[in-house]
C-alpha cells in the first residue's frame, strides 16, 4: 500500500500535503485545508499516538492496527483514529490540482469493463457520496478483478472488507461545509470534474 510513509519510529506523523494549501482552488481552499488537514487530520494522528503509546499496537503499520482493531468493541477509539488517519492520508492523494479529465489508459479500460463508461463510474461515485447518510466516505475499489464503488460510514475503510481502495472522497461535513454548506452534491461533482486524481487510482491498481 502506497500510504505508509507516515510513521517515524513508533510515532505516526502527519504526511505533508502533496500540493500547496491553496492549490485546489475555490473547491477546497486554503481555509478548508487549514481546518481539515491542519486540525481534523492532524487530530486523528495525535490521538492515535496517544492511544497506542506503550501498547502492543505501538510501531505497527497503520494497516495492521486497522485490521487488528476492526470490529472490536473495546478498541473502537484506536480503530477510529487509525482508520481516519489512513483515510485522510489517502484522501489528499486522491485529489490533485487540475485533476478530473480522463484516467490513464489502463485504468480507463478497467473502468469501461466494470461500469461501461467513465461517466457511469463517476455517476456511481457521486451517488455513493450523496447517499452516505451522515459522515463517511465514497470509494472506488478493486473487488477481485473488477472495479466497484462502495461507501463507508464514519471511519470505516474498505480494507477491512478485503477490498483494495483506489481513491476516495471524504463526505464528512467538515470536508465541504465552509464552501458548500449543505450542498454536498456540488462539492462531490466539483471534485469528480476538477480535482479527482485518476493517476493515483491507476497507481493503486498495481
Ligand atoms: Mn475528513
Amino acid at each position: 500500500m502506497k500510504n505508509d510513509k507516515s510513521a517515524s519510529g513508533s510515532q505516526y506523523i502527519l504526511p505533508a500535503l502533496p500540493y500547496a494549501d491553496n492549490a485546489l482552488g475555490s473547491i477546497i481552499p486554503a481555509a478548508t485545508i487549514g481546518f481539515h488537514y491542519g486540525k481534523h487530520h492532524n487530530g486523528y494522528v495525535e490521538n492515535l499516538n496517544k492511544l497506542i503509546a506503550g501498547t502492543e499496537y505501538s510501531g505497527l503499520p497503520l494497516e495492521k492496527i486497522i485490521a487488528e482493531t476492526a470490529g472490536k468493541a473495546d478498541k473502537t477509539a484506536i480503530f477510529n483514529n487509525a482508520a481516519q488517519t489512513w483515510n485522510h492520508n489517502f484522501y489528499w492523494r486522491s485529489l490533485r490540482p487540475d485533476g478530473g479529465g480522463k484516467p490513464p489508459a489502463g485504468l480507463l479500460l478497467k473502468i469501461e469493463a466494470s461500469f461501461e463508461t467513465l461517466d457511469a463510474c463517476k455517476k456511481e461515485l457521486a451517488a455513493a457520496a450523496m447517499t452516505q447518510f451522515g459522515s463517511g466516505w465514497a470509494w472506488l475499489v478493486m473487488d477481485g478483478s473488477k472495479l466497484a464503488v462502495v461507501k463507508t460510514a464514519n471511519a470505516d475503510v474498505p480494507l477491512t472488507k478485503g477490498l483494495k481502495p483506489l481513491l476516495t472522497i471524504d463526505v464528512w461535513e467538515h470536508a465541504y461545509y465552509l464552501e458548500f454548506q449543505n450542498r454536498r452534491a456540488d462539492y462531490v461533482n466539483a471534485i469528480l470534474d476538477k480535482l479527482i486524481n485518476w493517476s493515483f487510482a491507476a497507481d493503486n491498481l498495481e
Side-chain angles (χ1 to χ4, degrees):
M1 191 60 58
K2 300 179 183 70
N3 195 35
D4 57 1
K5 290 180 185 154
S6 55
S8 169
S10 61
Q11 292 281 293
Y12 285 96
I13 54 166
L14 181 68
L17 272 185
Y19 31 73
D21 68 357
N22 61 359
L24 301 181
S26 60
I27 303 165
I28 305 181
T32 288
I33 298 242
F35 283 104
H36 194 180
Y37 171 74
K39 305 290 184 194
H40 291 278
H41 187 178
N42 189 53
Y44 296 124
V45 175
E46 289 184 348
N47 285 337
L48 177 64
N49 283 327
K50 279 184 209 148
L51 286 164
I52 65 174
T55 74
E56 72 265 38
Y57 302 108
S58 181
L60 291 185
L62 214 39
E63 290 84 355
K64 198 154 167 69
I65 298 178
I66 290 167
E68 292 191 1
T69 56
K72 292 186 181 157
D74 60 333
K75 304 290 188 223
T76 302
I78 294 176
F79 173 81
N80 283 342
N81 285 283
Q84 282 294 78
T85 296
W86 195 96
N87 292 345
H88 284 88
N89 293 352
F90 202 76
Y91 169 66
W92 298 118
R93 301 171 75 204
S94 296
L95 308 175
R96 69 171 197 196
D98 300 316
K102 238 180 160 183
L107 175 59
L108 184 58
L109 278 176
K110 281 197 178 292
I111 285 173
E112 289 170 347
S114 297
F115 302 94
E116 305 226 334
T117 64
L118 173 62
D119 210 43
C121 174
K122 286 169 68 178
K123 281 197 176 120
E124 243 190 83
L125 274 165
M130 285 308 299
T131 57
Q132 172 52 42
F133 183 76
S135 296
W137 302 83
W139 305 83
L140 181 65
V141 299
M142 284 290 288
D143 181 2
S145 60
K146 285 199 73 177
L147 300 190
V149 166
V150 297
K151 57 190 176 181
T152 60
N154 300 315
D156 284 348
V157 53
L159 291 173
T160 61
K161 300 172 185 81
L163 303 170
K164 183 177 187 181
L166 301 182
L167 60 78
T168 193
I169 303 173
D170 188 343
V171 296
W172 285 57
E173 283 186 345
H174 67 220
Y176 60 87
Y177 213 80
L178 290 182
E179 296 314 306
F180 295 94
Q181 294 83 45
N182 59 318
R183 291 173 285 115
R184 186 190 285 188
D186 291 353
Y187 156 76
V188 168
N189 286 321
I191 283 187
L192 287 170
D193 287 339
K194 300 197 171 109
L195 298 182
I196 205 76
N197 187 349
W198 294 117
S199 298
F200 177 64
D203 289 347
N204 289 319
L205 281 173
E206 289 151 24

